[in-house]
Every structure is written in C-alpha cells, then in structure tokens.
Amino acid sequence: MSNYTQMWSDLGLDLQAHDALLSILGGAYQDIFLSQKDRPEGMKYFDFVMSEVHGLRIKELMDAKAQGRMVVGSYCVFVPEEMILAVDSVSVGLCAGAEFNFEGAEEVLPRNLCPLIKSAFGFKRGLVCPYVEASDIIVGENTCDGKKKAYEVLSPMVKDLYIIDLPQMKSDTGKMLLREEYRKFIKKLEDVSGRKITFETLKKGIELTNAKRKAVKRLAGLRKADPAPISGLDALLVNQVFFYDDPVRFTTSVNTLCDELEVRVAEGKGVFPKNTPRLLMSGCPMAVPNWKVPMIIEGSGAVIVGEESCVGERGTQWLTDDNGKTIDELLDAITERYFKIDCAVFTPNPSRVDHVKEMYNKYNAQGVIHYSLQSCHPYTVESGPAEALLEEAGIPVLRLETDYSQEDAGQLKTRIEAFRERIETK
Ligand code: BJ8
C-alpha cells in the first residue's frame, strides 16, 4: 500500500490503532482468502480493492470531496443509493464486522448489544475507520431497537447524523410513511449538497444502482452450478465490496468475473469437487471482515451457494423500476422496491421464509444455516419459527448464534460438521 499516513492523519485517525487494525486485517485476509485453491482470476480485482480499502478508495473519496461532492455513509440497505447518486455524491456502507475496541464501545453502550452495533461504535470511538471520518452525512434508520437507540448516542460524536424513520409493518400506511421519509431524505441530500435532484439525475442514479444489482444477480445465478465455480467466501466478499466501491467500476469487475465463471461452468470446473454438500446462509448481515462462519463452513467440506442476507440477496434481489416519467413516479418506484425488503424488524415477516425456500430450490442447496448475531432480537426470535417452517417443508436447518470473537470457533466447527453429515446422509 502507498503511504497514506498524511491522509489518515488529516482525517483524524488514531494512526497507531489504525496500523494495528490493518495488520490484523491483512493477516486474516491472507489466511482466509488468498489461501483458497483454484480461485477465479477475476477475484484479483477484489483482492486489490481489499488491499486498498483504507488507501486508494479513501483517496478517491477525498478527491471527490475536493471536487465538492459529498460522502454519505449508512448502516442499512433501506438507505436508497439511487438518491445519493442523484446528487452526485458517493455512497459508502459503514457496517463494521470486527471485534475492535469493544471496551470503548461498552463505555457508552450496554455490553449485551449486538456485535454489529458495538463494532460500529468501537471503530468510531477508536478513530480507525476512514469511511466514518470522511462522511459528510451519516444516515441511520429506525430498524431494530439497538440501532435506533444507539444512534442517539452516536449523534454527538459525528458531523451530521440523519435518521430515516422506517415502518415496522407492511401495511399501506407503512408504505406511505416510507415514501414520505424518502421524500424528506431527498430534501436533506439537496440541502447539504447544494444540488437539486432532477428527473434525469434520479433516473441515472437508478440505472447505476440497478446495474450493480444485475451484476451480483448474474454472479448469484452462476452459483447454481455443481461444481460451484466460486467459493461462498469469495462471493460474500463481492457482496461486501458492493457497499464500498465505485459503482461503475464494481459493475464492470463483477461482470468480468462472471464471464470467467461462465466458462468454468461450461467446462465443468469448480472450486470444490462435484457433489460437495451445498449450503445456503440466511440471517444477519455479514459486514467486512466478518468471515468466521463462512470460513468454518467451507473449511469443513461444504460450499455456500447463496446468502439470504442484506449483504447478499435480501439487499440486491429487487431492481428499481426506472420507467417512471416524473420524479414522483420514480420516487414511487423506489418506495415500492425498498418496501419489499424482508428484514426481520418487520412484523409479521412471512416473505423472508418464502425467499429462503425459493433460494434453496434455485441454488440446489441441501441445507440452510440460519445465522444470528448474539443479542440480535429480530433475527434470533424469527429463527425459531423460520426453522420450524423450513423443516416442515423438508429443508434441513442449523441455527447458529454467534458473535465476532473466535472463542466459539471449535464448537461451531463441530456443529457444522455434524450438520454436513446430516445432509449428506439425507
Ligand atoms: S434491513 S438486517 S441492514 S436493519 S444484527 S443491528 S438487526 S440487532 S443489521 Fe440490518 Fe437494515 Fe435489517 Fe438489513 Fe439490529 Fe440485528 Fe444488530 Fe442488525
């Protein structure tokens, strides 16, 4: 990596802590990703992105800011990237997936909060995330109680925290609330950026975001093949980079990767032998660098063939209809699109289980691993009924609840191996 010390210092990072974080990340990446066999050549681009995730990409953000563009950070797939692009701003995902500075987080938050929230606070309070520090606006959202209340604590720590209120039920009034909130969000973006959203810029924002989604959907479709042409770890990485990278470059790179995978599929080549047990992941999002469970699964002789998650298909499966003729019609289409997201904060939330079933069949999976982060009430509570419904439909389920530490790695491995044996003998 080039020397970005001055840039990090200008952003106010704690350089020593940041160096320590990068060194842990680099080591983990080497062990988990670069040690995989028969990786597609197209993953080299994503290796490069990860090697420069706090370097070149941040430099790009700083260059964009110098040209008068805003950086907008967010923690949830309910924040419409289309709108951020429509004011010529840069959208970055901020969800943190590492157990870093939890002591610092626990000084201002309860200990028994989900690790995703604690990680975001650990990064902020430890001054190690250049994305947070580069953000002109950070967008929070009223989803789970943990995030909703934690944003109150975060607000005085950041430059400009804006909250989108979200409905909790898929009702007509819920949809009206979402539409109104998105209208207010447009106003906020316009006020801070000093740019007006026009029909043309919003349509362009939709097209760019849809292109990204189409590319990752194409990648998902290729994972139907047996042998799997790409590991679940690498596919997860692509879905993680989705939130950070330049949208046009990301789309091109995913499509290049897909071109290569199409050849692999045609030639019957894969990263695991044919008939390797195939698993679907479902549950909480896995933010960078939360790779623990996929690493254990694929190290245990199974392959992950899909992710029913916000870092995965829950976040990307729907396109936004771009046929509207006015800004209002485009806003309606955006609202329709986002209102379909079946996050467990909604009650009831039946379409999520339907989607798991659909993915299970589509990707020829043999079992589902339901993944909940500890203290995540929405997904942990939903996991029981979800398991019952899936098992009733003949779909084997393993429910896991874990955090970002490595302490339970041995126990997880034992349970995952037993589950793999169960689906192999089915
Ligand atoms: S749309 S899943 S990205 S809220 S894991 S913080 S729910 S306690 S991340 Fe999410 Fe948006 Fe929903 Fe998706 Fe709370 Fe659970 Fe923690 Fe979570």
Side-chain angles (χ1 to χ4, degrees):
M1 194 184 273
S2 314
N3 193 343
Y4 297 112
T5 311
Q6 188 59 49
M7 177 179 76
W8 294 329
S9 172
D10 293 345
L11 279 168
L13 297 192
D14 176 334
L15 296 179
Q16 215 179 341
H18 183 247
D19 278 355
L21 175 73
L22 284 193
S23 131
I24 297 168
L25 253 180
Y29 195 79
Q30 173 74 41
D31 294 347
I32 298 169
F33 286 90
L34 302 182
S35 62
Q36 295 177 98
K37 293 206 178 69
D38 299 323
R39 292 179 83 213
E41 279 293 302
M43 284 310 297
K44 290 216 167 89
Y45 170 74
F46 297 93
D47 293 339
F48 175 72
V49 169
M50 287 308 290
S51 71
E52 289 286 344
V53 72
H54 280 198
L56 190 58
R57 185 63 185 137
I58 301 301
K59 168 89 173 48
E60 289 178 346
L61 299 189
M62 300 317 286
D63 290 347
K65 283 159 76 78
Q67 291 160 9
R69 298 170 66 204
M70 284 192 308
V71 174
V72 181
S74 61
Y75 292 101
C76 179
V77 296
F78 270 101
V79 179
E81 184 170 352
E82 294 90 333
M83 294 178 181
I84 297 170
L85 295 174
V87 285
D88 196 22
S89 295
V90 186
S91 168
V92 290
L94 296 176
C95 279
E99 190 177 50
F100 185 85
N101 189 29
F102 273 21
E103 334 64 80
E106 287 167 6
E107 280 166 13
V108 292
L109 294 173
R111 290 196 67 199
N112 59 347
L113 204 57
C114 107
L116 200 145
I117 302 172
K118 283 203 279 188
S119 179
F121 272 72
F123 275 49
K124 174 60 212 167
R125 298 201 83 222
L127 295 172
V128 291
C129 179
Y131 291 92
V132 171
E133 304 310 325
S135 292
D136 297 290
I137 311 177
I138 291 184
V139 188
E141 71 317 311
N142 289 340
T143 44
C144 63
D145 284 351
K147 279 213 250 182
K148 186 168 65 184
K149 296 305 287 182
Y151 288 134
E152 293 173 14
V153 183
L154 184 68
S155 183
M157 299 179 197
V158 298
K159 188 171 159 194
D160 187 355
L161 180 76
Y162 180 80
I163 303 291
I164 296 181
D165 194 13
L166 286 186
Q168 307 268 296
M169 294 182 87
K170 299 277 175 88
S171 59
D172 289 344
T173 37
K175 197 186 284 183
M176 272 162 52
L177 168 69
L178 188 64
R179 190 180 192 280
E180 199 41 41
E181 284 296 310
Y182 283 166
R183 183 182 291 286
K184 278 167 33 193
F185 184 49
I186 289 180
K187 170 100 177 46
K188 170 73 182 178
L189 291 169
E190 289 179 335
D191 287 350
V192 181
S193 69
R195 292 166 204 239
K196 202 92 190 121
I197 288 189
T198 64
F199 172 76
E200 287 73 25
T201 62
L202 191 53
K203 192 168 163 74
K204 179 87 185 138
I206 293 174
E207 285 165 2
L208 284 172
T209 314
N210 277 348
K212 273 171 69 170
R213 294 173 182 141
K214 281 182 194 158
V216 290
K217 280 161 79 80
R218 184 178 166 207
L219 173 64
L222 288 160
R223 296 167 75 194
K224 290 178 196 164
D226 184 17
I230 184 168
S231 67
L233 271 165
D234 278 339
L236 172 65
L237 186 75
V238 172
N239 278 297
Q240 290 173 331
V241 170
F242 182 97
F243 293 94
Y244 298 86
D245 202 4
D246 172 79
V248 174
R249 191 174 56 207
F250 174 84
T251 302
T252 308
S253 305
V254 177
N255 279 321
T256 305
L257 172 67
C258 290
D259 292 342
E260 181 188 351
L261 298 189
E262 272 174 6
V263 176
R264 280 190 168 203
V265 171
E267 291 174 350
K269 286 190 186 148
V271 283
F272 292 91
K274 198 171 166 55
N275 297 325
T276 296
R278 301 164 67 84
L279 295 174
L280 188 73
M281 296 289 301
S282 171
C284 289
M286 290 183 180
V288 173
N290 177 11
W291 302 309
K292 177 174 76 173
V293 171
M295 179 185 74
I296 295 173
I297 293 173
E298 297 205 326
S300 306
V303 57
I304 300 166
V305 293
E307 298 79 22
E308 188 281 316
S309 153
C310 287
V311 183
E313 281 204 24
R314 195 186 309 127
T316 54
Q317 65 173 318
W318 294 288
L319 302 181
T320 302
D321 183 354
D322 63 354
N323 288 311
K325 300 282 178 267
T326 61
I327 291 196
D328 265 354
E329 285 179 11
L330 293 181
L331 176 60
D332 283 343
I334 290 172
T335 307
E336 286 293 338
R337 187 261 168 212
Y338 283 84
F339 199 60
K340 289 184 192 140
I341 297 172
D342 33 25
C343 171
V345 298
F346 281 90
T347 180
N349 190 32
S351 65
R352 183 169 159 241
V353 171
D354 292 344
H355 184 217
V356 175
K357 287 182 188 167
E358 187 192 311
M359 287 182 73
Y360 177 84
N361 291 323
K362 188 161 71 175
Y363 300 122
N364 306 310
Q366 292 156 274
V368 173
I369 298 216
H370 190 286
Y371 171 85
S372 302
L373 285 169
Q374 261 165 24
S375 306
C376 169
H377 294 149
Y379 283 90
T380 313
V381 173
E382 199 165 281
S383 68
E387 178 186 34
L389 287 167
L390 293 169
E391 289 276 2
E392 210 174 276
I395 299 175
V397 178
L398 173 67
R399 271 201 284 165
L400 300 179
E401 198 180 328
T402 183
D403 58 15
Y404 289 169
S405 77
Q406 293 301 321
E407 278 166 25
D408 60 353
Q411 192 202 46
L412 288 171
K413 187 167 184 299
T414 308
R415 293 188 61 205
I416 289 166
E417 282 174 353
F419 185 62
R420 194 208 63 214
E421 279 168 25
R422 176 185 162 197
I423 62 171
E424 269 177 326
T425 50
K426 195 173 153 248

